[in-house]
Amino acid sequence: RAIAILICDALSARSTPAFELPMPRSPELRLLVESSRSTPQTPATLASTAGISLRTVERRFSAETGMPLGRWLRHARMIDSLLSLAAGSTVASAARQAGYSTPSAFVAAFSHIFGTTPGQFFDVSDPRPGPRSVPHSFHASS
């Protein structure tokens, strides 16, 4: 019982659950982040492409989603990489697609967000409780 309480406390302490990605409300910011999903881009590049100052984009984005734009972009790439790994991609390939220069940097970021390495995440023989397969849908929350 104590362990269950500890786990619940740890999970509730997260500002954004690992599989949730709040979407901005405004059409301009939605279009901005949807275009970033296909090609990793920095917040500055996205703002420049949209013709909006970086400060304005970051302020509006944070107000609409509760997350800084840079963190949202990293989180979105991790969710996309999870789907890629589930489809059979290698860690190196998923790392490149997510914009990481090395697989080890990707694994560190993945572990930070999901609490385990990609290999452990998908290891069905691991007796520990936890996610071992990708949930059926990864829809960004509105």
Side-chain angles (χ1 to χ4, degrees):
R1 179 178 158 104
I3 291 174
I5 291 170
L6 180 64
I7 291 170
C8 288
D9 285 345
L11 291 175
S12 67
R14 293 184 72 98
S15 60
T16 302
F19 300 114
E20 288 185 23
L21 193 60
M23 289 297 286
R25 293 181 302 274
S26 66
E28 301 86 14
L29 292 182
R30 277 184 180 260
L31 184 61
L32 193 74
V33 296
E34 286 170 5
S35 71
S36 75
R37 296 295 287 265
S38 59
T39 305
Q41 297 177 47
T42 66
T45 303
L46 284 174
S48 174
T49 302
I52 306 170
S53 78
L54 177 58
R55 255 174 94 88
T56 299
V57 169
E58 287 179 336
R59 187 174 46 253
R60 285 182 56 198
F61 196 87
S62 193
E64 290 186 24
T65 65
M67 288 178 83
L69 178 58
R71 190 170 98 207
W72 190 97
L73 291 169
R74 285 187 302 276
H75 203 97
R77 285 185 219 128
M78 278 298 146
I79 289 174
D80 292 344
S81 72
L82 199 63
L83 296 171
S84 180
L85 290 166
S89 290
T90 64
V91 170
S93 175
R96 277 190 307 279
Q97 288 175 322
Y100 287 86
S101 57
T102 65
S104 60
F106 170 78
V107 170
F110 187 100
S111 296
H112 178 74
I113 290 175
F114 297 113
T116 187
T117 65
Q120 290 170 335
F121 189 92
F122 291 102
D123 185 3
V124 292
S125 66
D126 191 337
R128 291 175 297 145
R132 297 294 172 248
S133 63
V134 177
H136 290 20
S137 63
F138 278 106
H139 298 291
S141 58
S142 300

